[in-house]
Amino acid sequence: MILTVTLNTALDVTYRVPALRPHTSHRVTDVRERPGGKGLNVARVLAALGHEVTVTGFVGGATGRVVQERLTGTAGVSDALLPVTGATRRTIAVVDARTGDTTQLNEPGPVITPAEWSAFQEAYEGLLAGADAVALCGSLPPGVPVGAYAVLVRTARAAGVPVLLDTSGEALRRGVAARPDIIKPNADELAELTGSHEPLRATQDARRRGARSVVASLGADGLTAATPEGRWRATPPARVSGNPTGAGDSASAGLLSGLVERLPWPDRLARAVALSAATVLSPTAGEFERQAYEQLLNRITVTGEATAA
Amino acid sequence: MILTVTLNTALDVTYRVPALRPHTSHRVTDVRERPGGKGLNVARVLAALGHEVTVTGFVGGATGRVVQERLTGTAGVSDALLPVTGATRRTIAVVDARTGDTTQLNEPGPVITPAEWSAFQEAYEGLLAGADAVALCGSLPPGVPVGAYAVLVRTARAAGVPVLLDTSGEALRRGVAARPDIIKPNADELAELTGSHEPLRATQDARRRGARSVVASLGADGLTAATPEGRWRATPPARVSGNPTGAGDSASAGLLSGLVERLPWPDRLARAVALSAATVLSPTAGEFERQAYEQLLNRITVTGEATAA
Ligand SMILES: Nc1ncnc2c1ncn2[C@@H]1O[C@H](COP(=O)(O)OP(=O)(O)O)[C@@H](O)[C@H]1O
Ligand SMILES: Nc1ncnc2c1ncn2[C@@H]1O[C@H](COP(=O)(O)OP(=O)(O)O)[C@@H](O)[C@H]1O
Ligand SMILES: [Mg+2]
Ligand SMILES: [Mg+2]
């Protein structure tokens, strides 16, 4: 089983409006809702690849009930979310039908009490016992200490479970110091962590900070990986255009999937790049086009070399 | 008991953002939620004035549950909302903290089935039996026929219950033809109904279309009333600045309150103007400042004359 952690789950709402004009009133012509938060996205992609996945994190309120109802209908995903008093946040994506541009409104999330955070750590330790790998994904809700991911990384390492961390800012900085097996920052997150916009230098720096392997995602340029086993670049055959929401989460799912199947790094990276490009191609945020994925898989260029043994 | 009908109930959500910039991502710094839809606003104000109120209309989904939970906590308001399969809509008001301006996003509401609409009409007839007055407020959700208010006005008249109608567009046009006791359009709604921007001419025209009394609200200029008993203007002592959301609903509540207490028109109008100005003064949408209301009540100018008997 692969465990994904989403401390700040969300109900992702997408609104279509004819044209967004600030300070006026709009009739929303189309409303879509789906469970969100990076760890839930990763879980959905892993389940679609045939993995058994368990999701945990916090869930609460009326929005939380909707998230859980929807998860129950997702084959391959087991729900181990912890109920809390606060309400799961909404994220609202307002799509301007004229231009296709999106304006995003993100609620902060419920305030987690110290007791809820303690209860989570205990539940998490129990879930790790049955996990082949764990992904720690996304932002921290209010109330959770900024060093939370460092704590969760250490618990996973103590349990001998490989851990992937995908977050940003101070939560990432603290988490990295606890020595996760893999981090998957995008270009901005990596630059913020290391102060360098030069991928080679930045990935080295992130490894020095504690990450065993750094897989940086570079948008249409694919992935660059710095690992104890070697350095690689993996690139899609071409830039694709579409909806990039969730592309990074699909990349994380590809890396985890390859990890538990014990694939060599080049194959893991090819899977991650093909999956994430197929996610951009899918009009629905966070879903991938299976046919495109399978076709892309043989067309990913992986260059680089293994470290001399 | 006063009955208020809100066919398109809502969960009104207010977001505060530091500054709204289209096509970017925003952290919402403050989230507020409250039951919405004009009839629910009218009911809250009536209850605050000490009236017994029953609310009906449609409610459904996770948002509907939140609306009902909140109503249960509102003293003086009885919940007779009819559960439906679709989900109660959200309205999102995005307040730009820099300018104070609001950008509004309104979901369309649940699709009401013919069976649900029939069930409502039956329940409504039952509720009228115990009602001293009824208010029909707001937009129609998808699926409800555009002539819905005409049907509901006729049923109220047949039951001998005075009926106030506050809606807009084609729903108002059709409703007026069924001869409601009072309509309370704002300046735009009245102009759209009659084609005239001249209040005197427009209120006369609206009466010819079927409304027994027309009380038009003119923003900071207060109210103008054309009734079988006479014509009046009621104006607040001064323009107040604040949050005008729900001012019209408070005006409707004032009119209904005065109606069931059998006050003469000038007193009803003074109450409506004082209440609605005190609603603008309240920072919370749809609530009024009680002290301001009581102080304003003696300072409303009412001019006009009763029709010669
Ligand atoms: N336009 C694109 N064309 C092809 N692949 C893309 C495109 N945008 C993103 N991807 C794929 O998605 C991955 C993650 O995207 P990226 O934007 O770097 O991450 P995040 O979604 O976390 O910000 C990239 O590494 C790449 O494989
Ligand atoms: N700026 C204001 N100052 C004082 N009273 C106001 C102000 N704006 C609205 N009101 C009161 O609220 C009533 C309803 O407001 P209006 O904007 O006409 O209706 P609606 O809210 O239905 O659009 C007015 O008739 C008036 O009594
Ligand atoms: Mg990402
Ligand atoms: Mg109004």
Side-chain angles (χ1 to χ4, degrees):
Chain A
M1 173 270 276
I2 301 174
L3 180 65
T4 78
V5 173
T6 317
L7 296 178
N8 213 358
T9 54
L11 181 64
D12 286 342
V13 180
T14 304
Y15 284 164
R16 213 176 163 75
V17 298
L20 182 65
R21 296 189 209 287
H23 316 320
T24 69
S25 202
H26 302 79
R27 289 170 61 100
V28 174
T29 56
D30 188 64
V31 182
R32 307 264 157 119
E33 285 187 1
R34 57 184 287 135
K38 289 181 198 294
L40 297 191
N41 297 340
V42 172
R44 253 191 317 252
V45 174
L46 284 169
L49 291 175
H51 293 280
E52 236 186 85
V53 197
T54 298
V55 295
T56 189
F58 298 113
V59 82
T63 40
R65 282 198 295 266
V66 176
V67 165
Q68 290 196 291
E69 279 163 23
R70 292 294 198 88
L71 279 179
T72 304
T74 310
V77 177
S78 301
D79 173 1
L81 292 163
L82 208 80
V84 291
T85 303
T88 294
R89 71 196 165 117
R90 281 166 291 222
T91 75
I92 313 264
V94 185
V95 179
D96 184 317
R98 211 184 22 159
T99 63
D101 284 320
T102 297
T103 304
Q104 190 75 36
L105 300 160
N106 296 326
E107 296 185 14
V111 178
I112 303 299
T113 65
E116 288 166 343
W117 171 232
S118 295
F120 175 78
Q121 289 172 262
E122 200 167 312
Y124 170 72
E125 208 168 334
L127 290 164
L128 282 173
D132 301 318
V134 57
L136 308 175
C137 304
S139 64
L140 301 175
V144 168
V146 68
Y149 283 135
V151 174
L152 301 184
V153 166
R154 274 186 220 108
T155 311
R157 284 167 45 81
V161 179
V163 53
L164 179 149
L165 176 64
D166 180 8
T167 186
S168 59
E170 191 59 20
L172 173 59
R173 185 180 307 279
R174 302 282 201 104
V176 165
R179 310 199 157 272
D181 294 273
I182 308 176
I183 62 170
K184 195 233 60 66
N186 64 22
D188 289 344
E189 291 157 353
L190 184 65
E192 196 193 344
L193 176 67
T194 63
S196 165
H197 285 273
E198 202 280 291
L200 216 90
R201 172 176 307 208
T203 48
Q204 292 299 22
D205 180 275
R207 290 196 64 208
R208 270 195 303 273
R209 287 167 185 273
R212 185 173 156 82
S213 296
V214 178
V215 182
S217 68
L218 310 170
D221 291 335
L223 298 171
T224 184
T227 81
E229 292 77 40
R231 293 194 64 96
W232 290 274
R233 271 298 289 272
T235 38
R239 159 186 291 275
V240 301
S241 64
N243 187 342
T245 312
D249 304 328
S250 290
S252 291
L255 295 175
L256 282 166
S257 167
L259 168 77
V260 300
E261 292 182 16
R262 301 176 192 281
L263 299 186
W265 271 110
D267 295 346
R268 297 190 202 177
L269 297 171
R271 183 175 289 186
V273 170
L275 262 182
S276 54
T279 300
V280 177
L281 281 170
S282 165
T284 310
E287 282 179 14
F288 67 95
E289 298 274 328
R290 182 170 297 271
Q291 244 202 324
Y293 163 58
E294 283 164 7
Q295 285 167 2
L296 279 161
L297 203 49
N298 303 314
R299 299 178 57 219
I300 307 300
T301 309
V302 185
T303 59
E305 50 185 29
T307 310
Chain B
M1 174 271 278
I2 301 174
L3 180 64
T4 78
V5 173
T6 317
L7 296 178
N8 212 359
T9 54
L11 181 65
D12 286 342
V13 180
T14 303
Y15 284 162
R16 214 176 162 76
V17 298
L20 182 65
R21 296 189 209 287
H23 314 322
T24 70
S25 201
H26 303 79
R27 288 171 62 101
V28 174
T29 55
D30 189 64
V31 182
R32 307 264 157 119
E33 284 187 1
R34 58 186 285 138
K38 289 180 198 293
L40 298 191
N41 297 341
V42 172
R44 252 190 319 251
V45 174
L46 284 169
L49 291 176
H51 293 279
E52 235 186 86
V53 196
T54 299
V55 295
T56 189
F58 298 112
V59 82
T63 40
R65 282 197 297 266
V66 176
V67 166
Q68 290 195 292
E69 278 162 24
R70 293 293 199 88
L71 279 179
T72 305
T74 310
V77 176
S78 300
D79 173 0
L81 292 162
L82 207 81
V84 290
T85 304
T88 294
R89 70 197 165 117
R90 282 166 292 221
T91 74
I92 314 265
V94 185
V95 180
D96 184 318
R98 212 186 21 162
T99 62
D101 284 320
T102 297
T103 304
Q104 189 75 36
L105 300 160
N106 296 326
E107 296 186 15
V111 177
I112 303 300
T113 65
E116 288 166 343
W117 171 233
S118 294
F120 175 79
Q121 288 172 265
E122 201 168 311
Y124 171 71
E125 208 168 335
L127 290 164
L128 282 173
D132 302 317
V134 58
L136 309 175
C137 304
S139 64
L140 301 175
V144 168
V146 67
Y149 282 134
V151 173
L152 301 184
V153 166
R154 273 187 223 107
T155 310
R157 283 167 46 81
V161 179
V163 53
L164 178 149
L165 176 63
D166 180 8
T167 186
S168 59
E170 190 60 20
L172 174 58
R173 185 180 308 279
R174 303 280 201 104
V176 165
R179 310 198 157 273
D181 294 273
I182 307 175
I183 62 171
K184 196 235 60 67
N186 65 20
D188 289 344
E189 290 158 352
L190 184 64
E192 196 193 343
L193 175 67
T194 63
S196 164
H197 285 272
E198 202 281 290
L200 217 90
R201 173 176 306 208
T203 47
Q204 291 300 20
D205 180 276
R207 290 196 65 208
R208 270 195 303 273
R209 286 168 185 273
R212 185 172 157 84
S213 296
V214 178
V215 183
S217 68
L218 310 171
D221 291 336
L223 297 171
T224 183
T227 81
E229 292 77 38
R231 293 195 63 96
W232 290 276
R233 271 297 289 271
T235 38
R239 159 185 292 274
V240 302
S241 64
N243 186 343
T245 311
D249 303 328
S250 290
S252 292
L255 296 175
L256 283 166
S257 167
L259 168 77
V260 300
E261 291 181 17
R262 301 177 191 279
L263 299 186
W265 271 110
D267 295 346
R268 297 189 202 179
L269 297 171
R271 183 175 290 186
V273 169
L275 263 182
S276 53
T279 301
V280 177
L281 280 170
S282 166
T284 310
E287 280 177 17
F288 67 95
E289 297 274 328
R290 180 169 299 270
Q291 244 200 325
Y293 162 58
E294 282 163 8
Q295 284 166 4
L296 279 161
L297 203 48
N298 304 313
R299 300 179 56 221
I300 307 299
T301 310
V302 185
T303 58
E305 51 185 29
T307 310

